[in-house]
Amino acid sequence: MRRIAASFAVATLLLGTLAACGDDSDSSGEGSLKVSGAFGTVPTVKIDAPYSVDETKVQVITKGEGDVVEKDSTAFLNIFIANGYDGRVVDSAWPELKTPEPAETESPSASPSASETPSAPSTEKSGDTDAADGETPAADEQAEGNPTLVTLTKDTVKAINEAVVGHTIGSRVVVSAEADDAFGLGGAELGIGNQDTTVFLIDILGTALDKIDTSAAATPKGWPTVVEKDGQVTGLDFSKAMKTPKPGLQVTRLVTGTGPKAEKGSKVALRYLGQVWGAKKPFDENYTAQTPTIGGSLLTLGTGSVIKGWDQGLDGVTAGSRVLLVIPAELAYGDKGSGKDIKPGDTLTFVVDVLGVV
């Protein structure tokens, strides 16, 4: 699983924190913080610990040229978090910047297998390298990082909101957050004291839609119909579909979006529902999940983390699209099947809403 998503303590603490206001004003304190590196590169962060501020400070390192991110948006973010008190990197979208945990405290992340979640990726995890003396290594090359999705509500960590809401896509923003604007009393799980300053560095990569506008969608003859209840996809109706689908991978766009195009290496936020061709009920879906991810992770297209029919069928699809995928067994689970619902040789059908691509 992706590092931020798999770090359950950090992911949980991005929501439901204490409420104190931050601003851009100068703050007294001790220690120092130096940050360099433009948006899209691996940052260099030098913390002269112990580093503290009395009031939250916001600094724009790179100002992007994209749209302004509004409150309640869902944003793709590369997030770096460090404890100002000791300079330790708590978590990072750039794995090489994370301070390694002592061997005795490490606990492996569990990633769902394909048999447990038929379309769930088996995401790879990069190794960590040392970051000593509160300084992260510099890198000149471009680096994608491992983005996560954050919905920017009043319940989100205030420092995250300060870094993102009102700023433009393509920006790199640093926030030195006093305790109540960061994790407050909840920081103990991360080794952050209830009076420690927390440093957030955030690259704002883009935003995702809440849902697809399907008002103009029409189902082609012979295809299953998407069933919805209260605006949410609940299944596929095969009553008017052909009894046997055409051979090979079939892709039809019920709605064509105008956003960025998904291609190999793209990170994709999506909602999906899967049903065996002709079956009465779905075998998997994430329309009822909290986030438009797969097992907590964004889909990285074209890397073999999902069945071949997804990697091939979603290639070239633009954000804002709804597509139907009909995937033959040879591009899905072949002559082995998966779990109790997908038998050997089954053709799979998915409705997929592509909400965002970076």
Side-chain angles (χ1 to χ4, degrees):
M1 295 174 108
R2 200 169 315 288
R3 180 171 305 279
I4 288 285
S7 269
F8 296 113
V10 173
T12 300
L13 287 169
L14 291 180
L15 298 172
T17 53
L18 303 179
C21 284
D23 55 44
D24 293 312
S25 60
D26 290 336
S27 304
S28 60
E30 59 181 333
S32 64
L33 169 69
K34 294 181 180 179
V35 177
S36 61
F39 173 89
T41 64
V42 180
T44 298
V45 182
K46 169 78 174 170
I47 298 175
D48 180 16
Y51 168 63
S52 66
V53 296
D54 296 329
E55 295 180 345
T56 294
K57 299 172 64 175
V58 179
Q59 181 182 6
V60 178
I61 304 298
T62 303
K63 184 176 181 178
E65 297 181 354
D67 294 337
V68 173
V69 180
E70 306 290 343
K71 67 178 181 179
D72 297 322
S73 298
T74 297
F76 294 89
L77 308 175
N78 276 337
I79 304 177
F80 167 97
I81 306 173
N83 185 353
Y85 177 75
D86 56 13
R88 183 176 57 87
V89 180
V90 173
D91 220 318
S92 173
W94 299 273
E96 62 267 42
L97 304 189
K98 189 173 186 297
T99 304
E101 296 289 344
E104 64 270 20
T105 64
E106 289 181 349
S107 57
S109 299
S111 181
S113 68
S115 61
E116 292 168 336
T117 307
S119 57
S122 178
T123 5
E124 51 211 27
K125 184 176 179 181
S126 301
D128 296 324
T129 57
D130 289 342
D133 300 324
E135 182 174 6
T136 62
D140 295 328
E141 71 276 11
Q142 295 289 325
E144 292 181 356
N146 287 326
T148 189
L149 279 177
V150 177
T151 301
L152 303 158
T153 70
K154 62 181 178 60
D155 296 320
T156 306
V157 166
K158 290 188 70 66
I160 301 286
N161 276 323
E162 292 279 344
V164 183
V165 175
H167 295 283
T168 51
I169 294 170
S171 295
R172 169 168 288 179
V173 182
V174 175
V175 178
S176 299
E178 58 91 19
D180 285 350
D181 282 352
F183 301 117
L185 297 175
E189 291 183 57
L190 308 175
I192 299 175
N194 63 2
Q195 297 184 39
D196 291 350
T197 291
T198 303
V199 175
F200 297 84
L201 181 147
I202 295 178
D203 277 2
I204 307 171
L205 306 177
T207 56
L209 300 170
D210 291 328
K211 60 182 180 179
I212 303 297
D213 179 2
T214 60
S215 57
T219 304
K221 185 177 180 180
W223 283 73
T225 302
V226 178
V227 179
E228 298 187 62
K229 182 178 181 181
D230 299 327
Q232 181 171 293
V233 175
T234 59
L236 292 167
D237 179 4
F238 289 87
S239 61
K240 296 182 180 179
M242 61 186 81
K243 291 190 179 297
T244 304
K246 296 177 181 179
L249 176 65
Q250 305 293 317
V251 183
T252 188
R253 300 191 189 192
L254 303 181
V255 177
T256 300
T258 59
K261 183 185 297 185
E263 54 192 10
K264 185 175 181 179
S266 294
K267 314 291 184 181
V268 184
L270 49 79
R271 296 286 185 186
Y272 69 91
L273 178 142
Q275 207 160 317
V276 171
W277 184 274
K280 298 295 185 184
K281 26 180 216 184
F283 57 78
D284 190 25
E285 57 85 26
N286 79 340
Y287 282 94
T288 57
Q290 185 175 6
T291 60
T293 57
I294 304 173
S297 296
L298 290 166
L299 168 64
T300 303
L301 192 66
T303 60
S305 62
V306 288
I307 56 177
K308 291 180 180 179
W310 269 46
D311 273 343
Q312 296 178 20
L314 294 177
D315 187 40
V317 176
T318 50
S321 297
R322 169 173 287 184
V323 299
L324 280 175
L325 304 178
V326 179
I327 304 175
E330 60 268 23
L331 296 178
Y333 296 99
D335 58 3
K336 294 183 179 180
S338 179
K340 63 183 180 62
D341 294 316
I342 302 175
K343 304 294 190 295
D346 273 349
T347 295
L348 307 184
T349 314
F350 288 91
V351 54
V352 182
D353 289 347
V354 179
L355 302 177
V357 177
V358 294

